[in-house]
């Protein structure tokens, strides 16, 4: 959308779309948690689930905030998207720093599973966003109206009388 466009009616299924992308992104995180449980036990699975849910919550917050602002004030959506992205990075680093200080993730193996769950959900989210962007049709601009009320479109040029002279 350009800054000159007006706010269009909200998409009725925006919450459903965010939920579908979030659910699709959570599947790889749960697979990593299952692999961690089989390979290293319940602490690794818990670490992977924590990493997956932490990044999923942060990404859902950012996506929902940007979608809400884009529906209300299209001209401000790019600025809010950039600020939200920066906030997401800060929140993710804060969560990872807090997790690294926790006794539950003191072992290097649990930290690896934490990062594995986080990375799996992040990659799943990116794939889900690309698939959703390709399949959902959101108009970038509005075409002028066609019909009897529209002005005739003739090329501007010299009139036939001017050419004969």
């Amino acid at each position: 959308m350009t800054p000159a466009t007006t706010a269009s009616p909200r998409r009725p299924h925006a919450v459903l779309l965010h939920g579908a992308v979030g659910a699709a992104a959570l599947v790889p995180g749960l697979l990593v948690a299952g692999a961690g449980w089989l390979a290293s036990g319940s602490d690794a699975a818990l670490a992977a689930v924590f990493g997956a849910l932490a990044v999923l919550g942060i990404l859902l917050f950012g996506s929902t905030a940007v979608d809400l602002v884009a529906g209300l004030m299209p001209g401000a959506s790019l600025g809010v998207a950039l600020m939200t992205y920066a906030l997401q990075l800060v929140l993710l680093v804060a969560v990872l720093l807090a997790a690294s200080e926790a006794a539950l993730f003191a072992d290097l193996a649990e930290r690896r599973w934490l990062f594995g769950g986080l990375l799996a959900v992040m990659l799943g989210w990116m794939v889900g966003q690309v698939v959703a962007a390709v399949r959902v049709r959101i108009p970038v601009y509005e075409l002028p109206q066609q019909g009897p009320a529209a002005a005739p479109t003739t090329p501007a040029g010299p009139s036939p009388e001017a050419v004969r002279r």
Side-chain angles (χ1 to χ4, degrees), residues 157-165:
S159 65
E161 292 86 23
V163 173
R164 283 186 235 158
R165 291 184 199 170

Side-chain angles (χ1 to χ4, degrees), residues 142-153:
E142 296 176 13
L143 294 174
Q145 292 205 354
Q146 300 292 328
T153 56

